[in-house]
Amino acid sequence: MPTIQTLIAAFIEDVNREDGRFLHYCESTTNFLFFLIKWGGIPFIFYILYEFTRL
């Protein structure tokens, strides 16, 4: 139980820091997901518009 409390305390301390690891990982994940949506979603929208205008 003390090790879990130690880990939770370290996590809370890391989250409260402005340049913590957890926030860095969240930022990296968000940037990656935005990259996927941008480069995967925009061409897909163009394809859908092309298919609808071809009718």
Side-chain angles (χ1 to χ4, degrees), residues 34-54:
F34 177 73
F35 177 81
L36 286 179
I37 290 170
K38 182 173 64 174
W39 294 110
I42 292 174
F44 180 69
I45 295 296
F46 285 144
Y47 171 73
I48 295 295
L49 289 173
Y50 171 74
E51 288 296 323
F52 279 135
T53 56
R54 213 171 60 154

Side-chain angles (χ1 to χ4, degrees), residues 2 7 11 20 22 27-28 30-32 39 44-45 47 49 52:
L7 289 174
F11 176 74
F22 181 74
E27 179 184 3
S28 298
T30 304
N31 287 340
F32 177 70
W39 294 110
F44 180 69
I45 295 296
Y47 171 73
L49 289 173
F52 279 135

Side-chain angles (χ1 to χ4, degrees), residues 2-47:
T3 57
I4 293 173
Q5 290 175 342
T6 306
L7 289 174
I8 291 173
F11 176 74
I12 291 172
E13 182 180 329
D14 184 59
V15 168
N16 286 333
R17 289 191 314 158
E18 190 171 326
D19 58 343
R21 283 186 181 177
F22 181 74
L23 294 178
H24 176 67
Y25 291 143
C26 287
E27 179 184 3
S28 298
T29 303
T30 304
N31 287 340
F32 177 70
L33 290 174
F34 177 73
F35 177 81
L36 286 179
I37 290 170
K38 182 173 64 174
W39 294 110
I42 292 174
F44 180 69
I45 295 296
F46 285 144
Y47 171 73

